[in-house]
Amino acid sequence: MKLHQGWRDFEVTPMPRSKSSSKKPLWIIFLVSLVCISLIVVYIYPPQQYSSCYLLSSKVCDHLEYWLPPVPARVLTDDELTARVVMRDILAMPTIPSKRHKIAFMFLTPASLPFEKLWEKFFLGNEERFSIYVHASREKPVHVSPLFIGQNIHSEKVSWGKISMVDAEKRLLANALQDTDNHHFVLLSESCIPLHNFDYVYNYLMETNISFVDSFVDPGPHGAGRYSEHMLPEIEKKDWRKGSQWFSIKRRHALLLLVDSFYYNKFKLYCKASMEGNKNCYADEHYVPTLLNMADPSGIANWSVTHVDWSEGKWHPKSYRAEHVTFDLLKNITTIDQIIHVTSDSKRTAMRKPCLWNGMRRPCYLFARKFCLDGLDNLMAILGNFTVF
Ligand SMILES: *[C@@H]1O[C@H](CO)[C@@H](O)[C@H](O)[C@H]1NC(C)=O
Ligand SMILES: *[C@@H]1O[C@H](CO)[C@@H](O)[C@H](O)[C@H]1NC(C)=O
Ligand SMILES: *[C@@H]1O[C@H](CO)[C@@H](O)[C@H](O)[C@H]1NC(C)=O
Ligand SMILES: *[C@@H]1O[C@H](CO)[C@@H](O)[C@H](O)[C@H]1NC(C)=O
């Protein structure tokens, strides 16, 4: 497109003519000017293969060109350029060598974890392949499983829907990143349960280099309606995404979230409750989906591996009490193999997509929420030693 514009600019400029030139055949003038114009165009817009991405012929590279194009559409500020350069290099970095390959299970909870006993059953026998971090924001949890004792990290108060939620996520990531054996990072709440045995979960997450981050375009008031033009020019409306906060991400994406202060500050300032025009924006539902969609769109699956039921259309998702916890319910959740995103506009459009894992259609979910404490006995009885699903 730019090339085309370049040509057009030259065409509208009339060629200066002198009297003597009229004697020469017209085609020579035409040929010479064609060569000149070509040279100028090549000089202004060098062919892509001469850029740094020539050697790295991958999908990642195609994207890095967009993230840091050779000719940016606008002049980037110092901070924005710094952020983009650092993030690009993090995404292109090889994975850190380590003896073990562990998954970090990061629990974001107000207090005690009601399903520790269930998680203990899930973890037992896999001690070399996981680590646990607990961020308890309200009161010190009482642990009933030895696996959880000593795993509390320093925590701060968290308010629902506020930036402190994102801060707590970053705090968990920073703690978990200290261990170079951690290659994948799963964010869980106190009401989350595992749906499959450890091997299934481990292989599902580790045998792909995709992060499972929920991210979709919602044109309605709870999606695009929360975008603020104060985020321009760095975050355009077309980049704005929505998604559940319960992510499961690769080390490179965890690092990327940790180093980012540039985009984070935009959300801190312009995505909060009771903004201008009575708008409410919740940073934990937009920051990670939007940033990762901008920085590495093909590196995220666009769905979360943690199931939640929004079908009741209320302000909060469905909570499962003891009487809801049946074999049929769990079987239903574990067999879902398409993701449904419903827009918040009046059309309530349901967008369905198959869950593609390394190109294969597979069940979408490894974990589920929101389960109430009284369901523990039923869950233990059904999931037992995790040989059912
Ligand atoms: C993703 O994983 C595949 C196979 O495991 C590997 O060949 C490929 O290089 C990886 N891609 C990136 C960007 O790491
Ligand atoms: C996720 O969505 C983005 C667009 O929002 C798309 O570019 C990307 O390819 C999607 N990721 C996958 C794995 O399909
Ligand atoms: C499970 O799914 C079936 C078929 O979609 C449905 O009829 C049934 O009510 C579901 N059961 C529960 C407990 O959700
Ligand atoms: C786990 O389940 C298997 C097969 O259903 C059974 O043979 C085994 O005894 C169970 N183990 C425990 C500890 O419950």
Side-chain angles (χ1 to χ4, degrees):
M1 219 177 88
K2 278 175 191 156
L3 206 69
H4 179 72
Q5 252 179 1
W7 278 108
R8 210 173 47 206
D9 289 345
F10 283 107
E11 275 165 10
V12 294
T13 318
M15 290 289 168
R17 278 185 179 209
S18 69
K19 286 215 159 153
S20 60
S21 72
S22 63
K23 284 178 190 166
K24 291 174 187 164
L26 213 63
W27 67 269
I28 294 187
I29 298 169
F30 179 72
L31 210 69
V32 169
S33 43
L34 202 72
V35 169
C36 289
I37 291 167
S38 307
L39 284 174
I40 291 166
V41 168
V42 167
Y43 178 74
I44 299 175
Y45 306 105
Q48 292 243 321
Q49 71 254 40
Y50 294 123
S51 70
S52 59
C53 262
Y54 183 45
L55 294 173
L56 302 155
S57 60
S58 73
K59 229 175 156 184
V60 174
C61 219
D62 291 347
H63 178 67
L64 296 183
E65 290 246 317
Y66 145 77
W67 184 241
L68 271 178
V71 184
R74 59 186 162 81
V75 177
L76 306 183
T77 61
D78 291 350
D79 288 347
E80 187 183 13
L81 182 60
T82 304
R84 288 190 180 215
V85 165
V86 170
M87 290 187 195
R88 182 202 58 187
D89 282 13
I90 285 175
L91 291 175
M93 260 173 15
T95 49
I96 191 159
S98 66
K99 277 197 234 96
R100 284 186 286 240
H101 284 63
K102 296 198 282 189
I103 296 178
F105 291 85
M106 311 183 300
F107 291 88
L108 186 53
T109 175
S112 293
L113 296 163
F115 301 123
E116 254 181 46
K117 278 285 164 202
L118 185 69
W119 282 103
E120 183 184 64
K121 280 215 156 193
F122 168 79
F123 286 127
L124 274 180
N126 299 288
E127 281 70 14
E128 306 276 283
R129 298 196 286 166
F130 70 86
S131 37
I132 295 173
Y133 303 86
V134 180
H135 184 288
S137 56
R138 207 181 56 213
E139 60 191 58
K140 205 163 178 282
V142 178
H143 294 300
V144 293
S145 161
L147 295 178
F148 286 80
I149 291 172
Q151 310 306 327
N152 296 344
I153 65 161
H154 161 78
S155 63
E156 304 268 345
K157 201 166 160 274
V158 170
S159 305
W160 182 73
K162 299 244 175 87
I163 198 77
S164 57
M165 185 73 94
V166 175
D167 295 339
E169 293 173 4
K170 286 194 173 213
R171 197 171 296 119
L172 276 162
L173 286 173
N175 277 272
L177 279 162
Q178 288 186 92
D179 185 345
T180 51
D181 288 344
N182 287 333
H183 286 249
H184 199 96
F185 302 76
V186 182
L187 184 69
L188 297 158
S189 81
E190 76 285 358
S191 72
C192 287
I193 60 153
L195 294 168
H196 294 274
N197 66 33
F198 189 88
D199 274 336
Y200 184 99
V201 169
Y202 187 87
N203 295 339
Y204 196 107
L205 296 178
M206 295 297 248
E207 287 175 12
T208 177
N209 41 26
I210 292 275
S211 284
F212 295 93
V213 173
D214 193 30
S215 174
F216 73 107
V217 177
D218 174 3
H222 299 162
R226 295 175 180 168
Y227 172 77
S228 159
E229 288 190 347
H230 288 298
M231 294 198 171
L232 286 171
E234 295 90 353
I235 303 169
E236 295 176 41
K237 197 163 187 175
K238 68 173 172 52
D239 299 322
W240 189 251
R241 292 292 182 280
K242 177 178 172 159
S244 142
Q245 80 184 103
W246 308 105
F247 59 67
S248 163
I249 60 178
K250 292 291 158 195
R251 195 172 174 98
R252 66 179 192 277
H253 291 143
L255 269 175
L256 193 139
L257 294 179
L258 214 59
V259 298
D260 173 47
S261 58
F262 181 77
Y263 295 95
Y264 165 87
N265 279 325
K266 291 242 151 192
F267 281 81
K268 189 174 179 173
L269 287 171
Y270 307 119
C271 176
K272 49 190 181 186
S274 26
M275 298 189 301
E276 65 202 57
N278 280 331
K279 282 200 297 190
N280 288 313
C281 184
Y282 305 99
D284 60 276
E285 288 185 359
H286 298 279
Y287 169 62
V288 177
T290 300
L291 180 61
L292 291 184
N293 171 66
M294 286 173 76
D296 192 14
S298 58
I300 59 172
N302 298 325
W303 89 82
S304 164
V305 286
T306 301
H307 177 266
V308 71
D309 183 357
W310 282 104
S311 66
E312 293 178 339
K314 296 195 185 139
W315 191 243
H316 286 288
K318 183 178 168 76
S319 279
Y320 302 108
R321 302 204 63 87
E323 65 265 29
H324 301 125
V325 181
T326 59
F327 178 84
D328 275 355
L329 172 76
L330 296 173
K331 175 120 199 105
N332 278 7
I333 296 174
T334 52
T335 48
I336 297 169
D337 64 356
Q338 67 169 356
I339 202 81
I340 305 177
H341 284 128
V342 182
T343 63
S344 64
D345 55 5
S346 56
K347 289 188 207 140
R348 304 267 159 201
T349 313
M351 299 173 288
R352 292 158 201 273
K353 269 196 200 146
C355 289
L356 295 179
W357 181 90
N358 287 350
M360 284 175 285
R361 186 151 185 177
R362 285 190 69 178
C364 310
Y365 300 114
L366 304 177
F367 314 105
R369 56 194 282 272
K370 308 175 72 157
F371 287 82
C372 303
L373 173 60
D374 63 4
L376 178 62
D377 290 343
N378 283 0
L379 286 167
M380 292 291 271
I382 297 164
L383 293 173
N385 60 12
F386 291 99
T387 49
V388 214
F389 303 120

